[in-house]
Amino acid sequence: MSSREKTLEALKKNQPDQVELPAITSYEQSEKDNVLQFKNTLLFIGGQAIEVNGYGDMITYIKEHFGEAKRILSTIEALHPVAEIKAHYPDPHSLEDVGLTIVNAQFGVAENGAVWITDDLLPARALPFITEFLAVVLEKKTIVPTMQEAYDRIGISDYGFGVFIAGPSKTSDIEQSLVLGAHGPKGMTIFLI
Amino acid sequence: MKVALFIPCYVDQFYPQVGIATLELLTKLGVEVTYPLQQTCCGQPMANSGFAHLTPNCDSLFIKNFSDFDYIVCPSGSCTLHIKEHLHDEIRPDEALSIRKKIYELTEFLTDILKVKNLTASFPHKVGLHQSCHGQRGLHLSQMTELTAPPFSKPERLLRMVDGLQLIELDRKDECCGFGGTFCVTEEAVSVKMGKDRITDHTKHEAEFITGGDMSCLMHLEGILRRQHSHVRVKHIAEILNAQ
Amino acid sequence: MKNHPELAEQFNTDEARVNWHDETLWWVRTKRDRMSHALPEWEQLRESASQIKNNVLSNLSDYLIQFESNAKANGIIVHWAADANEHNAIVLSLLRQQGATQMVKSKSMLTEECHLNEYLEQNNIDVVDSDLGERVVQLAKEPPSHIVLPCIHKKKEEIGELFHEHLGTPKGNADPQFLTHAARLHLREKFLTRKVALTGVNFAIADTGEFVVCTNEGNADMGAHLADVHIASMGIEKIIPQRKHLGVFLRILARSATGQPVTTYSSHFKKPREGKAIHIILVDNGRSIHLGRPDFRNALKCIRCGACMNTCPVYRRSGGHSYHTAIAGPIGSILAPNLDMKKYADLPFASTLCGSCSNVCPVKIDIHDQLFKWRQVIVKEGYATSGKKVGMKVMNSVLSHPSLYRTSGKIGRWIMNHFPSVVNNKLNPWFRQREMPEPPKESFREWYQKNKKR
Ligand code: SF4
């Protein structure tokens, strides 16, 4: 008997009687202003949100803050004055020297400051991790209150890879001291439009 | 109302004043209490050590002693909890079940059954309340800090009725003291360290007395306090609620 | 092999370190409280999570079959491993297929349970743990002492020393920021050069055939997206029915674990990249047996948040290594006896049964009740120490016979009055650091008989 059969057989024999799935309800949140909560939470987890009026504002901001960056990458056509625009990088190892990446997110989550990004928005899955700094363009009106509404929104949509990103990469492994930029980005900026 | 007093074995032997205070307090509140003379123990020390299968005799004895009463009151959360959760009897299952329902820890009996609103007690000292785990998390005598739920505390409510008593705040409101039954000897190092840390929390906030609903925890803390030659003393909550 | 009390006593020889360990973990518990208390629906979320997991356990075989077929349709290659050995052999064969002699790995308690690193090393494979805490303990040649905070027992100076020795950082530099940056540079080179990456799995979704990996550092993603082959090792209990259930679990996992609203990365792997491969290994290793123990099966609901360890007053004062098993603390103490009751007979006794663990557990496992029940099983199966056995029998016969009890109590008090050194000696574990109670003149019973006979 294969391990598959062995395991399944043992499970069938040992699992308890059927227990029903609970109904999952949404809970009303005390903070009604999703955008405000999103901004505050993001700050708390080491990121920052900047309200912008359009791509012009973003370009100015990028020039001002990331003028020194070795390589700036984006998938957003309108950012071409400051970024290299490409839809696909077949070899992610070539992204090692990227200083800043700017991508779109599908939506944001107010309770935890996370944004949802699927691989159709990424020129390479590795990019939001390997880049030294990450910036994300997020439409304010897409922000949902909690992860429960987030998954309602994702529904049964298809993707190869999807990720919630909440702030910069971090670790507290050494004596619980928080350090930003463990393996991934050292900072995360969200452009709210 | 027929009320029986269940005095845990170690209280009977080492802390008779706690039994006396409990009896006097209840009498003062107009309750007539009987102490069944043949009682011994709830069986917890064995059960918690993994020897629950040895306790049937102890259980039947308990039923024999207490089944005739409307209420059983016990000045120990831990022993009360053990009876509530584990008392059973092959021959008299119903009696065991009914005892499980009518046994009360002293402070919950005072607040929930007697609905005591004031006391004529006086204890002009700074007191720290040690929440024993079995009373708190098992019998739910106080809210537990782990939960997202409104706070309350039955023993605290009673202590606030005592004249002159000043209740101190603790950094860790409901951390275990490390007694844990046989744990206190099988895991001596951790047990003592836990006790020392509890004591530090109380002394840091200038407690003169540490009180609580379980003499077992207090006996452990007292053992450490006396070894440290500390001036801080332990007193069972019954003694304070009965203090003049 | 030393047992928990012995290892705990060893840990307690350095009291300052115990204080530091206790306070560091209590701080994590406090952060968790802040998060959970801020959500009025917290207790309902725990209840939902618990019920979803109960449903999972009752349908585990079907969910696994469903997951397997959906994952396959997504292009993921599925393997089954009955035990640790088979799991390790599968990993090795995948490495050999690639001609790889090196692998980068992110956090997976399952691979700790399977002792994968030792196995691969014996087979000349160089494994690098990429989670910072895990890398630290790997360099120190120690197992992790905590499932979420692997090197929580190490002081920064010790880590500085290790990095000096292995990564060439300047001697004496123990700044967390600096050390983390050094590890980043050291590990980036590994991520860029390894062809095979292994990750754990936090959740696998039966309905969609995808799996989710949660990290703060981004190390799982760095490994997986840069390698040609991604191996994911997963305990079979990690399955959940539908994607929307993540809405519940991701709300409670990080809040319980570290007091963050969510982990930095919650990565959903559904299909491999073009031309690359994802393998998932479904590992039983005793879980199906555990499922057959009605009193203990719901320990399989665990989502490995570590909250029960942070809150455990014993764990905080005995250290993770005192549990001598891959998963320490309260949850480890109810999981380990399932695998080897004799070897881990001490663990269910390494608790005061205070119950704090059950209260923080986000999936509402009745941890302290299971500790109590394991004690009964262990004693019945004959794994109690013999001294304890005799003592308990005597205690029981005394306590079930009122007259015997009265005499022995009296004798006890008489001894304590007259020969304090008999009970107050070094061999008496109560007396080593505590005074014995001062024996009163009479028992309560005696007082009652004198005063109450009216
Ligand atoms: S038993 Fe509960 S609290 Fe402990 S690690 Fe598992 S899920 Fe977390």
Side-chain angles (χ1 to χ4, degrees), chain B residues 15-231:
Chain B
Y15 298 98
Q17 72 274 23
V18 174
I20 297 169
T22 306
L23 188 109
E24 285 181 355
L25 177 62
L26 288 168
T27 313
K28 233 193 272 181
L29 291 164
V31 184
E32 207 177 302
V33 234
T34 312
Y35 173 77
L37 287 167
Q38 299 302 316
Q39 60 180 285
T40 58
C41 170
C42 61
Q44 173 167 236
M46 276 102 65
N48 278 1
S49 309
F51 292 81
H53 61 284
L54 290 180
T55 61
N57 293 338
C58 206
D59 281 10
S60 352
L61 181 67
F62 196 91
I63 294 168
K64 204 159 97 199
N65 280 319
F66 289 102
S67 55
D68 281 349
F69 295 89
D70 302 322
Y71 294 104
I72 302 147
V73 179
C74 170
S76 157
S78 189
C79 303
T80 305
L81 180 69
H82 183 77
I83 294 293
K84 258 194 195 314
E85 286 190 335
H86 300 289
L87 187 79
H88 63 247
D89 192 293
E90 305 263 304
I91 308 156
R92 289 168 295 178
D94 295 344
E95 278 175 59
L97 207 66
S98 102
I99 286 187
R100 280 169 171 223
K101 285 193 194 127
K102 60 193 187 187
I103 184 160
Y104 284 82
E105 183 274 342
L106 174 65
T107 62
E108 65 176 346
F109 185 74
L110 297 180
T111 58
D112 300 0
I113 303 299
L114 298 185
K115 304 203 189 304
V116 169
K117 295 274 178 304
N118 45 59
L119 289 165
T120 55
S122 157
F123 196 72
H125 298 284
K126 284 189 171 175
V127 176
L129 171 62
H130 173 65
Q131 305 270 16
S132 290
C133 304
H134 288 169
Q136 193 211 14
R137 296 195 183 81
L139 296 173
H140 219 168
L141 300 180
S142 310
Q143 190 52 275
M144 303 163 269
T145 55
E146 298 91 1
L147 300 187
T148 302
F152 70 89
S153 169
K154 294 174 189 181
E156 206 177 299
R157 219 163 87 201
L158 292 165
L159 287 171
R160 294 202 185 278
M161 297 174 194
V162 176
D163 255 5
L165 186 145
Q166 199 184 330
L167 208 54
I168 58 146
E169 286 292 327
L170 295 169
D171 290 344
R172 301 186 191 178
K173 245 174 126 55
D174 53 9
E175 172 123 315
C176 176
C177 69
F179 171 69
T182 42
F183 181 89
C184 74
V185 284
T186 54
E187 289 267 4
E188 188 256 354
V190 180
S191 170
V192 170
K193 180 60 184 145
M194 286 169 70
K196 277 160 86 176
D197 290 355
R198 272 307 67 229
I199 287 171
T200 307
D201 198 355
H202 285 267
T203 51
K204 195 164 85 184
H205 294 93
E206 298 175 351
E208 299 164 65
F209 288 87
I210 301 175
T211 190
D214 257 302
M215 211 52 224
S216 49
C217 303
L218 296 180
M219 169 170 81
H220 162 68
L221 296 177
E222 180 186 46
I224 299 170
L225 282 167
R226 282 182 39 222
R227 180 62 58 90
Q228 293 175 342
H229 304 293
S230 168
H231 298 300

Side-chain angles (χ1 to χ4, degrees), chain A residues 3-4 6-8 10-12 14-22 24 27 29 41 44-45 92-93 96 111-112 116 125-126 129-130 146-148 151 154-171 173-177 179 181-186, chain C residues 20 24 28 31 35 41 44-45 51-52 55 57-61 64-65 68 80 82 86 130-133 149 151 155-156 176 179-180 184 187-188 191-192 210 216-217 219 221 225-226 243 246-247 250-251 255 261-262 264-268 270-273 284 288 291-292 297:
Chain A
S3 294
R4 180 182 185 276
K6 230 171 29 198
T7 303
L8 288 173
L11 290 177
K12 270 203 200 100
N14 288 341
Q15 66 200 18
D17 293 343
Q18 164 75 19
V19 177
E20 290 307 316
L21 270 175
I24 309 288
Y27 303 94
Q29 298 302 297
T41 315
F44 173 70
I45 58 178
H93 296 87
E96 216 279 298
E111 69 162 337
N112 56 25
W116 173 247
R125 287 184 189 181
F129 307 96
I130 201 168
T146 79
M147 288 304 257
Q148 294 180 243
Y151 280 98
I154 294 172
I156 51 159
S157 61
D158 193 27
Y159 46 75
F161 171 74
V163 60
F164 280 104
I165 302 182
S169 142
K170 56 181 80 69
T171 180
D173 275 349
I174 304 180
E175 287 200 8
Q176 279 293 294
S177 320
V179 180
H183 295 299
K186 296 171 178 166
Chain C
W20 165 80
T24 312
V28 185
K31 287 197 288 181
M35 277 291 149
E41 65 265 38
Q44 286 154 285
L45 288 172
Q51 287 179 26
I52 296 168
N55 167 273
L57 296 186
S58 73
N59 286 300
L60 199 45
S61 56
L64 283 165
I65 294 169
E68 179 187 39
W80 296 74
E86 193 176 0
S130 60
D131 173 88
L132 175 58
L149 318 160
C151 68
K155 295 213 167 189
K156 56 182 190 235
L179 295 175
T180 302
R184 178 186 168 104
L187 288 163
R188 198 155 261 239
F191 288 129
L192 288 166
E210 73 196 295
N216 277 325
E217 299 183 6
N219 56 318
D221 289 279
H225 304 314
L226 288 167
R243 206 186 253 166
L246 288 169
L250 294 187
R251 293 194 78 189
R255 285 186 168 96
V262 70
T264 305
Y265 304 105
S266 310
S267 301
H268 301 48
K270 191 155 185 269
K271 298 169 192 167
R273 282 175 291 144
D284 181 347
S288 57
L291 193 64
R297 60 164 63 109

Side-chain angles (χ1 to χ4, degrees), chain C residues 147 302-308 331 360-363 365 367:
Chain C
I147 59 177
C302 176
I303 56 173
R304 303 287 191 268
C305 72
C308 57
I331 179 66
V360 293
C361 178
V363 289
I365 299 172
I367 308 173

Side-chain angles (χ1 to χ4, degrees), chain C residues 376-440:
Chain C
Q376 315 306 321
V377 174
I378 284 166
V379 166
K380 271 203 183 142
E381 302 279 325
Y383 297 123
T385 52
S386 53
K388 218 182 217 170
K389 265 183 255 180
V390 177
M392 283 299 151
K393 289 225 170 91
V394 172
M395 183 138 113
N396 178 55
S397 68
V398 169
L399 293 176
S400 36
H401 298 96
S403 59
L404 201 55
Y405 160 77
R406 287 195 289 273
T407 337
S408 75
K410 241 182 228 157
I411 290 172
R413 270 181 293 130
W414 189 83
I415 290 178
M416 284 176 54
N417 267 332
H418 295 86
F419 300 98
S421 61
V422 177
V423 275
N424 296 352
N425 62 38
K426 283 272 177 234
L427 294 174
N428 175 353
W430 175 279
F431 190 68
R432 263 181 19 122
Q433 303 183 68
R434 284 167 290 215
E435 299 297 327
M436 297 295 284
E438 270 170 355

Side-chain angles (χ1 to χ4, degrees), chain A residues 26-59:
Chain A
S26 304
Y27 303 94
E28 205 172 312
Q29 298 302 297
S30 55
E31 177 55 71
K32 303 275 184 272
D33 186 341
N34 287 342
V35 177
L36 182 70
Q37 198 190 357
F38 181 87
K39 282 161 105 177
N40 289 340
T41 315
L42 188 64
L43 206 60
F44 173 70
I45 58 178
Q48 56 167 342
I50 293 163
E51 301 228 21
V52 291
N53 285 317
Y55 292 109
D57 284 2
M58 289 183 220
I59 291 170

